[in-house]
Amino acid sequence: MPSLAAKLHIKNTQQVLSQALFEAKISPKKIDYIAYTEKPGLIICLQIGKTVAETLSLYLNKPLVPINHLEGHIYASLINQEKECEFPALALIISGGHTQIYQLKNHFEFILLGETLDDAIGECLDKSAILLGYNYPGGPIIEKLALTGKNTYQLPLPKNDDSLDFSFSGLKSEIGRLVNKEGKNINANDLTCSLQNVLAEILTKKLKKAWMTNRAKTIIIGGGVIANKFLRNYLTKNIKKWDKEIKIFIPEIKYSTDNAAMIGIAAYYKISCNHSHN
Ligand code: KG4
Ligand code: ZN
Protein backbone atom coordinates (compact mmCIF):
# COMPACT_ATOMS: atom_id res chain seq x y z
CA MET A 1 0.00 0.00 0.00
CA PRO A 2 2.36 2.74 -1.24
CA SER A 3 0.13 5.70 -0.35
CA LEU A 4 -0.28 4.50 3.25
CA ALA A 5 3.47 3.88 3.49
CA ALA A 6 4.17 7.41 2.22
CA LYS A 7 1.70 8.94 4.68
CA LEU A 8 3.30 7.08 7.61
CA HIS A 9 6.80 8.11 6.51
CA ILE A 10 5.77 11.76 6.49
CA LYS A 11 3.97 11.39 9.81
CA ASN A 12 6.80 9.58 11.63
CA THR A 13 10.08 10.81 10.17
CA GLN A 14 10.52 13.86 12.38
CA GLN A 15 9.53 11.96 15.53
CA VAL A 16 11.95 9.11 14.73
CA LEU A 17 14.74 11.57 14.03
CA SER A 18 14.36 13.52 17.27
CA GLN A 19 13.92 10.33 19.29
CA ALA A 20 17.06 8.81 17.74
CA LEU A 21 19.10 11.93 18.60
CA PHE A 22 17.64 11.92 22.12
CA GLU A 23 18.40 8.23 22.74
CA ALA A 24 21.90 8.49 21.26
CA LYS A 25 22.45 11.60 23.42
CA ILE A 26 24.00 13.59 20.58
CA SER A 27 23.20 16.97 19.11
CA PRO A 28 22.87 17.34 15.33
CA LYS A 29 26.13 19.33 15.38
CA LYS A 30 28.00 16.14 16.34
CA ILE A 31 26.96 14.39 13.11
CA ASP A 32 29.73 14.01 10.50
CA TYR A 33 27.84 12.36 7.62
CA ILE A 34 24.23 11.88 6.57
CA ALA A 35 23.57 8.34 5.31
CA TYR A 36 20.29 7.37 3.68
CA THR A 37 18.80 4.39 1.80
CA GLU A 38 19.16 5.04 -1.91
CA LYS A 39 17.51 1.85 -3.30
CA PRO A 40 15.90 -0.67 -3.73
CA GLY A 41 12.48 -0.11 -2.17
CA LEU A 42 9.18 1.64 -2.50
CA ILE A 43 10.06 4.71 -4.58
CA ILE A 44 7.84 7.16 -2.70
CA CYS A 45 9.37 6.20 0.68
CA LEU A 46 12.90 6.34 -0.73
CA GLN A 47 12.18 9.83 -2.01
CA ILE A 48 10.95 11.01 1.39
CA GLY A 49 14.09 9.62 3.06
CA LYS A 50 16.33 11.20 0.45
CA THR A 51 14.66 14.58 0.78
CA VAL A 52 15.05 14.53 4.57
CA ALA A 53 18.70 13.47 4.20
CA GLU A 54 19.39 16.22 1.65
CA THR A 55 17.76 18.82 3.86
CA LEU A 56 19.86 17.75 6.87
CA SER A 57 23.00 17.67 4.72
CA LEU A 58 22.36 21.21 3.52
CA TYR A 59 21.47 22.49 6.99
CA LEU A 60 24.41 20.84 8.79
CA ASN A 61 26.81 21.24 5.87
CA LYS A 62 27.81 17.56 6.03
CA PRO A 63 28.24 15.14 3.10
CA LEU A 64 25.56 12.68 2.01
CA VAL A 65 26.28 8.93 1.85
CA PRO A 66 23.77 6.99 -0.29
CA ILE A 67 23.54 3.33 0.77
CA ASN A 68 21.98 0.35 -0.95
CA HIS A 69 19.40 -1.37 1.28
CA LEU A 70 21.03 -4.78 0.66
CA GLU A 71 24.44 -3.45 1.69
CA GLY A 72 22.68 -2.43 4.89
CA HIS A 73 21.49 -6.01 5.48
CA ILE A 74 25.02 -7.31 4.85
CA TYR A 75 26.70 -4.85 7.22
CA ALA A 76 24.03 -5.16 9.94
CA SER A 77 25.89 -8.18 11.31
CA LEU A 78 28.97 -6.04 11.97
CA ILE A 79 27.14 -3.83 14.50
CA ASN A 80 28.64 -4.38 18.00
CA GLN A 81 30.94 -7.02 16.53
CA GLU A 82 34.51 -7.46 17.68
CA LYS A 83 35.75 -9.98 15.09
CA GLU A 84 36.64 -8.68 11.63
CA CYS A 85 35.03 -9.90 8.42
CA GLU A 86 37.70 -11.80 6.43
CA PHE A 87 37.50 -11.95 2.64
CA PRO A 88 36.56 -13.71 0.43
CA ALA A 89 33.19 -13.97 2.11
CA LEU A 90 29.73 -15.18 1.17
CA ALA A 91 26.52 -13.36 2.00
CA LEU A 92 23.02 -14.80 2.07
CA ILE A 93 20.28 -12.17 2.04
CA ILE A 94 16.81 -13.38 3.01
CA SER A 95 14.13 -10.72 3.26
CA GLY A 96 10.62 -9.83 2.17
CA GLY A 97 11.89 -8.59 -1.19
CA HIS A 98 15.09 -10.55 -1.82
CA THR A 99 16.66 -13.99 -1.63
CA GLN A 100 20.21 -13.75 -2.88
CA ILE A 101 23.69 -15.21 -2.47
CA TYR A 102 26.66 -12.90 -3.02
CA GLN A 103 30.36 -13.49 -3.16
CA LEU A 104 32.14 -10.65 -1.37
CA LYS A 105 35.66 -10.13 -2.73
CA ASN A 106 36.26 -7.17 -0.49
CA HIS A 107 34.28 -4.37 1.14
CA PHE A 108 31.66 -3.23 -1.39
CA GLU A 109 32.95 -5.61 -4.11
CA PHE A 110 29.99 -7.95 -4.40
CA ILE A 111 29.23 -10.50 -7.12
CA LEU A 112 25.68 -11.91 -7.32
CA LEU A 113 25.89 -15.73 -7.50
CA GLY A 114 22.21 -16.62 -7.33
CA GLU A 115 18.77 -15.31 -6.45
CA THR A 116 15.11 -16.19 -6.43
CA LEU A 117 13.43 -16.58 -9.79
CA ASP A 118 10.00 -15.70 -8.39
CA ASP A 119 8.87 -14.89 -4.82
CA ALA A 120 11.33 -13.90 -2.11
CA ILE A 121 11.52 -16.20 0.92
CA GLY A 122 9.86 -13.61 3.19
CA GLU A 123 7.11 -13.17 0.61
CA CYS A 124 6.53 -16.94 0.78
CA LEU A 125 6.14 -16.70 4.57
CA ASP A 126 3.89 -13.63 4.33
CA LYS A 127 1.64 -15.19 1.66
CA SER A 128 1.49 -18.54 3.48
CA ALA A 129 0.40 -16.79 6.69
CA ILE A 130 -2.39 -15.04 4.79
CA LEU A 131 -3.52 -18.40 3.34
CA LEU A 132 -3.71 -19.67 6.92
CA GLY A 133 -5.85 -16.66 7.90
CA TYR A 134 -3.24 -14.41 9.52
CA ASN A 135 -2.11 -10.87 8.75
CA TYR A 136 1.12 -9.35 7.45
CA PRO A 137 3.94 -9.81 8.38
CA GLY A 138 3.70 -13.59 8.29
CA GLY A 139 7.26 -14.48 9.35
CA PRO A 140 6.89 -13.84 13.10
CA ILE A 141 3.45 -15.55 13.19
CA ILE A 142 4.79 -18.62 11.39
CA GLU A 143 7.75 -18.77 13.77
CA LYS A 144 5.37 -18.73 16.75
CA LEU A 145 2.95 -21.32 15.30
CA ALA A 146 5.83 -23.64 14.41
CA LEU A 147 7.14 -23.69 17.99
CA THR A 148 4.54 -26.28 19.02
CA GLY A 149 4.41 -28.07 15.66
CA LYS A 150 6.03 -31.19 14.22
CA ASN A 151 7.65 -31.65 10.82
CA THR A 152 4.92 -33.95 9.49
CA TYR A 153 3.81 -32.40 6.17
CA GLN A 154 5.84 -33.62 3.19
CA LEU A 155 6.47 -30.33 1.38
CA PRO A 156 8.55 -30.31 -1.82
CA LEU A 157 12.14 -29.02 -1.59
CA PRO A 158 11.91 -26.15 -4.10
CA LYS A 159 14.49 -25.75 -6.91
CA ASN A 160 16.65 -28.51 -5.47
CA ASP A 161 19.10 -28.44 -8.41
CA ASP A 162 22.74 -27.58 -9.11
CA SER A 163 22.11 -23.85 -9.53
CA LEU A 164 22.43 -21.21 -6.82
CA ASP A 165 18.99 -19.82 -7.67
CA PHE A 166 15.87 -20.18 -5.57
CA SER A 167 12.13 -20.48 -6.21
CA PHE A 168 9.43 -20.12 -3.58
CA SER A 169 6.15 -19.58 -5.40
CA GLY A 170 5.51 -23.34 -5.73
CA LEU A 171 5.79 -23.80 -1.99
CA LYS A 172 3.18 -21.10 -1.39
CA SER A 173 0.87 -22.80 -3.93
CA GLU A 174 1.32 -26.12 -2.13
CA ILE A 175 0.34 -24.47 1.18
CA GLY A 176 -2.74 -23.05 -0.57
CA ARG A 177 -3.61 -26.48 -1.95
CA LEU A 178 -3.31 -28.11 1.50
CA VAL A 179 -5.39 -25.36 3.15
CA ASN A 180 -8.14 -25.90 0.55
CA LYS A 181 -7.98 -29.67 0.85
CA GLU A 182 -7.91 -29.97 4.64
CA GLY A 183 -9.99 -26.89 5.50
CA LYS A 184 -10.59 -26.57 9.25
CA ASN A 185 -8.72 -29.80 9.94
CA ILE A 186 -5.42 -28.33 8.87
CA ASN A 187 -2.78 -28.44 11.58
CA ALA A 188 -1.25 -24.96 11.26
CA ASN A 189 1.44 -25.73 13.84
CA ASP A 190 2.67 -28.81 11.96
CA LEU A 191 2.33 -27.11 8.56
CA THR A 192 4.37 -24.04 9.58
CA CYS A 193 6.96 -26.25 11.28
CA SER A 194 7.25 -28.30 8.06
CA LEU A 195 7.51 -25.09 6.01
CA GLN A 196 10.34 -23.75 8.17
CA ASN A 197 12.13 -27.08 7.80
CA VAL A 198 12.09 -27.12 3.97
CA LEU A 199 13.10 -23.47 3.87
CA ALA A 200 16.01 -24.13 6.23
CA GLU A 201 17.05 -27.17 4.20
CA ILE A 202 17.05 -25.43 0.82
CA LEU A 203 18.89 -22.36 2.16
CA THR A 204 21.53 -24.62 3.69
CA LYS A 205 21.93 -26.67 0.50
CA LYS A 206 22.39 -23.61 -1.72
CA LEU A 207 24.71 -21.88 0.70
CA LYS A 208 26.82 -25.03 1.00
CA LYS A 209 26.99 -25.32 -2.78
CA ALA A 210 28.24 -21.73 -3.00
CA TRP A 211 30.76 -22.36 -0.23
CA MET A 212 32.11 -25.54 -1.87
CA THR A 213 33.16 -23.54 -4.94
CA ASN A 214 34.23 -20.37 -3.16
CA ARG A 215 35.61 -21.63 0.18
CA ALA A 216 34.77 -18.36 1.89
CA LYS A 217 36.38 -17.62 5.25
CA THR A 218 33.37 -15.68 6.39
CA ILE A 219 29.65 -16.28 5.91
CA ILE A 220 27.25 -13.40 6.49
CA ILE A 221 23.48 -13.87 6.70
CA GLY A 222 21.17 -10.85 6.65
CA GLY A 223 17.59 -9.73 6.00
CA GLY A 224 14.36 -9.83 8.01
CA VAL A 225 13.87 -13.60 7.72
CA ILE A 226 17.05 -14.30 9.71
CA ALA A 227 15.21 -12.87 12.75
CA ASN A 228 13.77 -16.41 12.83
CA LYS A 229 15.43 -18.35 15.67
CA PHE A 230 14.86 -21.76 14.09
CA LEU A 231 16.62 -20.65 10.87
CA ARG A 232 19.44 -18.97 12.83
CA ASN A 233 20.15 -22.18 14.76
CA TYR A 234 19.72 -24.51 11.80
CA LEU A 235 22.04 -22.54 9.53
CA THR A 236 24.68 -21.90 12.22
CA LYS A 237 24.77 -25.57 13.24
CA ASN A 238 25.18 -26.73 9.65
CA ILE A 239 27.81 -24.17 8.61
CA LYS A 240 29.95 -25.23 11.59
CA LYS A 241 29.83 -28.81 10.29
CA TRP A 242 31.43 -27.81 6.95
CA ASP A 243 34.45 -26.19 8.61
CA LYS A 244 34.50 -24.95 12.16
CA GLU A 245 36.96 -22.19 11.21
CA ILE A 246 34.32 -20.34 9.15
CA LYS A 247 33.42 -17.04 10.78
CA ILE A 248 29.65 -16.68 10.90
CA PHE A 249 28.11 -13.22 11.04
CA ILE A 250 24.38 -12.94 11.80
CA PRO A 251 22.89 -9.65 13.05
CA GLU A 252 21.24 -9.39 16.44
CA ILE A 253 17.49 -9.95 16.01
CA LYS A 254 16.69 -6.22 16.32
CA TYR A 255 19.13 -5.45 13.47
CA SER A 256 17.83 -8.29 11.22
CA THR A 257 14.57 -6.70 10.10
CA ASP A 258 14.73 -3.30 8.40
CA ASN A 259 16.32 -0.62 10.56
CA ALA A 260 18.33 2.57 10.23
CA ALA A 261 21.38 1.40 12.19
CA MET A 262 22.28 -1.03 9.37
CA ILE A 263 22.37 1.90 6.94
CA GLY A 264 24.57 3.79 9.40
CA ILE A 265 27.10 0.97 9.75
CA ALA A 266 27.25 0.36 5.99
CA ALA A 267 27.98 4.08 5.57
CA TYR A 268 30.70 3.85 8.23
CA TYR A 269 32.45 1.07 6.26
CA LYS A 270 31.97 2.89 2.96
CA ILE A 271 33.54 6.07 4.34
CA SER A 272 36.42 4.12 5.97
CA CYS A 273 37.12 2.28 2.67
CA ASN A 274 37.18 5.55 0.71
CA HIS A 275 39.62 7.04 3.20
CA SER A 276 41.96 4.06 3.04
CA HIS A 277 41.94 4.22 -0.80
CA ASN A 278 42.90 7.92 -0.84
O1 KG4 B 1 14.37 -7.13 5.62
P1 KG4 B 1 12.94 -6.95 5.97
O2 KG4 B 1 12.61 -6.34 7.30
O3 KG4 B 1 12.20 -6.09 4.87
C1 KG4 B 1 12.55 -6.25 3.50
O4 KG4 B 1 13.59 -5.71 3.09
O5 KG4 B 1 11.79 -6.99 2.83
O6 KG4 B 1 12.24 -8.39 5.84
C2 KG4 B 1 10.86 -8.53 6.05
C3 KG4 B 1 10.52 -10.00 5.96
C4 KG4 B 1 9.02 -10.23 5.96
O7 KG4 B 1 8.72 -11.13 4.92
C5 KG4 B 1 8.78 -10.85 7.32
O8 KG4 B 1 7.69 -11.76 7.35
C6 KG4 B 1 10.07 -11.57 7.58
O9 KG4 B 1 11.06 -10.69 7.09
N1 KG4 B 1 10.31 -11.82 9.01
C7 KG4 B 1 10.46 -13.05 9.53
C8 KG4 B 1 10.57 -12.87 10.94
N2 KG4 B 1 10.51 -11.53 11.20
C9 KG4 B 1 10.35 -10.91 10.01
N3 KG4 B 1 10.46 -14.26 8.97
C10 KG4 B 1 10.61 -15.33 9.77
N4 KG4 B 1 10.71 -15.24 11.11
C11 KG4 B 1 10.71 -14.05 11.74
N5 KG4 B 1 10.80 -13.99 13.07
ZN1 ZN C 1 15.14 -5.29 4.23
Side-chain angles (χ1 to χ4, degrees), residues 155-206:
L155 298 172
L157 202 56
K159 198 135 176 55
N160 183 22
D161 58 17
D162 276 341
S163 78
L164 295 178
D165 291 325
F166 299 91
S167 165
F168 295 106
S169 66
L171 214 41
K172 163 204 66 191
S173 307
E174 179 61 11
I175 303 274
R177 196 187 64 78
L178 287 165
V179 170
N180 279 337
K181 191 177 118 202
E182 300 191 15
K184 282 206 164 69
N185 294 328
I186 196 123
N187 186 325
N189 301 97
D190 289 353
L191 186 58
T192 50
C193 175
S194 309
L195 176 60
Q196 281 191 168
N197 271 280
V198 282
L199 292 176
E201 193 178 338
I202 197 67
L203 290 175
T204 309
K205 280 199 164 191
K206 298 282 175 166

Side-chain angles (χ1 to χ4, degrees), residues 40 69-70 72-73 93-98 222-224 256-259 262:
H69 181 80
L70 299 162
H73 277 309
I93 305 296
I94 45 175
S95 73
H98 294 84
S256 296
T257 45
D258 286 355
N259 63 88
M262 71 187 199

Side-chain angles (χ1 to χ4, degrees), residues 1 4-5 42 95-97 121-142 224-225 257-258:
M1 282 189 265
L4 180 63
L42 215 50
S95 73
I121 184 168
E123 208 176 336
C124 172
L125 291 167
D126 295 332
K127 288 176 176 171
S128 300
I130 287 172
L131 289 167
L132 285 165
Y134 295 92
N135 289 329
Y136 176 89
I141 296 154
I142 287 181
V225 177
T257 45
D258 286 355

